[in-house]
Amino acid sequence: SHSYWLGHIQSLLYCSENNQIGTFSEELHSCGCQFEHSPCQLPPPCTVGEGSACAACASDNHTRCGSCNPGFALMQGACRPMVADSTENYLGFETDLQDLELGYLLQRADRRLEVHAIFISNDMRLNSWFDPSWRKRMLLTLKSNKYKTNMVHMLLGISLQVCLTKNSTLEPALTLYINPFGGSHSESWYIPVNEIGFPDWKATKLDLPFECYNWTLTLGNKWKTFFETIHIYLRSRIKTQDGANDSVYYEPAEMTDPAQSLGYMKINSIQVFGYSMHFDPEAIRDLILQLDYPYTQGSQDTAILQLLEIRDRVNRLSPPGQQKMDLFACLLRHRLKLTPSEVVRIFASLQAFTARLPNSVDYETTKLCS
């Protein structure tokens, strides 16, 4: 019969090692040998079919896969699901703390969550009184490009201890811009405080001789984001009983009558809450190199999948809005020191790859570090 001759030929082809002929099983795709200590199994051909089976065997070696079905990537002669390996070797994301634990520690301003950022300001000094009539500028920066190249940092909250002279009619109005991975001020994004469901500042009265408050903005796990530098703009607004004039800012063109002084202000301390994560720029550079110089086609696909996973997880931590911000490009530009043309080339490779995937849907991003 046809099946007899097919089995006989397969046994001759794949079960004739060591001068003995075994029996080939189509179902098991392997040989049954007469003597266990002397195997008869030869390398069988690749399995062609649907799913994780090969679409075709390799032309130069019939035991290895040459191409895969949709949804699977060729890796070292075999088809594997198109799911990226863990990115933790390249870039950490998670903390072991859950929402409730994190909220409790942030509420207590636990020092274990404090990130020690460098304070820089030409307009004022900490713990010194100043006239709050004019806008003050401050920076809190980590200078990771210089000092902590193997770390990236996550922002969970910020707290300022602000004091006013007695009978002052002002209160601080704070505006924050976040620079995720370094670069210029123009590559920072505005924190939409009390907008689009974003949290608002909370003021807590302190038991100190002056009118002192802790002004705290808590992001937590829900709104956490990467940060390298925080740009703080401090203005003053007139306090009202009903809160109706919260948007009335006090920045007079001139103040000639000392009797109309609205008081002085000082900032005793600024705390940044968050955590630092593992970051391996050389390992990510190796992934990028495989886009141009792959060891095998499978290793190139794996590198692209991992870069896509890193890109999506980084961009997921962009601020709320109609479109995600392209924070991944900022990571490439400022932490890997890539040129704009190199970034464009990487994005073109990722886009071409996703276009080949079944049911792929890419998303538009707002450029921040172009």
Side-chain angles (χ1 to χ4, degrees):
S1 65
H2 178 271
S3 59
Y4 168 80
W5 286 113
L6 177 63
H8 183 65
I9 292 169
Q10 287 177 318
S11 298
L12 290 172
L13 285 172
Y14 312 126
C15 309
S16 57
E17 185 74 11
N18 297 318
N19 296 320
Q20 61 161 317
I21 297 179
T23 305
F24 185 79
S25 169
E26 183 73 30
E27 292 79 13
L28 299 177
H29 211 65
S30 63
C31 297
C33 304
Q34 289 181 330
F35 306 103
E36 292 183 5
H37 64 275
S38 180
C40 62
Q41 175 94 38
L42 287 167
C46 76
T47 304
V48 177
E50 298 179 350
S52 60
C54 300
C57 296
S59 58
D60 59 339
N61 185 346
H62 72 280
T63 67
R64 296 173 67 84
C65 190
S67 61
C68 296
N69 293 304
F72 294 84
L74 184 64
M75 299 179 193
Q76 298 179 345
C79 293
R80 307 270 172 79
M82 276 190 174
V83 177
D85 294 336
S86 171
T87 59
E88 294 299 318
N89 293 333
Y90 306 98
L91 178 63
F93 286 95
E94 305 304 333
T95 173
D96 295 333
L97 298 171
Q98 301 301 311
D99 287 349
L100 287 175
E101 295 175 291
L102 203 56
Y104 175 73
L105 292 173
L106 288 172
Q107 189 177 18
R108 293 185 58 192
D110 195 292
R111 301 300 292 266
R112 287 172 292 182
L113 285 179
E114 188 174 357
V115 179
H116 297 284
I118 303 167
F119 175 83
I120 302 171
S121 177
N122 291 327
D123 293 346
M124 53 157 290
R125 290 185 299 169
L126 291 179
N127 213 19
S128 296
W129 292 101
F130 58 87
D131 181 355
S133 300
W134 308 98
R135 186 177 71 165
K136 308 297 180 186
R137 292 171 294 181
M138 294 166 273
L139 285 182
L140 294 169
T141 186
L142 295 163
K143 294 187 180 293
S144 294
N145 281 320
K146 192 172 182 181
Y147 302 119
K148 301 175 184 175
T149 55
N150 64 335
M151 292 286 180
V152 291
H153 313 279
M154 196 72 76
L155 178 67
L156 294 172
I158 184 171
S159 180
L160 294 85
Q161 190 181 109
V162 182
C163 294
L164 302 163
T165 48
K166 289 190 176 182
N167 301 323
S168 174
T169 58
L170 297 181
E171 67 178 9
L174 298 156
T175 305
L176 269 60
Y177 289 84
I178 302 297
N179 189 302
F181 298 110
S184 65
H185 183 287
S186 62
E187 295 168 321
S188 303
W189 56 267
Y190 162 72
I191 284 192
V193 171
N194 205 23
E195 299 174 21
I196 332 174
F198 210 83
D200 198 1
W201 291 95
K202 291 185 178 178
T204 306
K205 181 77 169 63
L206 301 174
D207 187 16
L208 291 174
F210 297 98
E211 292 286 318
C212 294
Y213 295 83
N214 263 348
W215 287 82
T216 304
L217 180 66
T218 304
L219 307 183
N221 269 330
K222 184 177 182 181
W223 302 109
K224 66 184 179 182
T225 186
F226 294 104
F227 85 103
E228 179 69 26
T229 302
I230 305 173
H231 303 264
I232 305 173
Y233 291 90
L234 169 67
R235 301 169 76 187
S236 300
R237 60 187 169 198
I238 301 171
K239 288 190 288 189
T240 57
Q241 296 298 322
D242 57 3
N245 293 328
D246 277 354
S247 59
V248 177
Y249 292 95
Y250 184 73
E251 286 188 315
E254 55 183 354
M255 173 59 73
T256 56
D257 186 359
Q260 295 184 24
S261 172
L262 301 181
Y264 285 85
M265 184 182 294
K266 73 171 178 174
I267 299 176
N268 289 338
S269 63
I270 304 179
Q271 286 178 288
V272 181
F273 297 103
Y275 55 93
S276 298
M277 300 167 296
H278 163 74
F279 172 63
D280 191 341
E282 293 305 320
I284 298 180
R285 284 193 187 95
D286 287 343
L287 280 181
I288 293 168
L289 275 176
Q290 290 192 48
L291 302 185
D292 294 324
Y293 309 105
Y295 302 109
T296 66
Q297 180 65 38
S299 71
Q300 185 182 54
D301 291 349
T302 303
I304 292 177
L305 283 169
Q306 288 176 318
L307 285 171
L308 283 171
E309 178 72 8
I310 293 170
R311 181 200 68 173
D312 294 344
R313 295 192 71 180
V314 167
N315 288 346
R316 207 175 296 154
L317 293 167
S318 64
Q322 291 185 342
Q323 285 189 351
K324 296 182 187 300
M325 281 192 175
D326 192 1
L327 301 186
F328 182 61
C330 297
L331 179 76
L332 298 178
R333 289 280 291 114
H334 298 302
R335 294 306 302 272
L336 270 69
K337 307 292 188 184
L338 301 183
T339 64
S341 60
E342 288 175 314
V343 174
V344 168
R345 181 178 55 80
I346 291 166
F347 275 62
S349 297
L350 299 182
Q351 192 172 16
F353 182 83
T354 53
R356 292 192 284 113
L357 297 178
N359 305 319
S360 65
V361 178
D362 216 345
Y363 55 88
E364 291 292 327
T365 54
T366 302
K367 304 303 178 188
L368 186 64
C369 305
S370 57

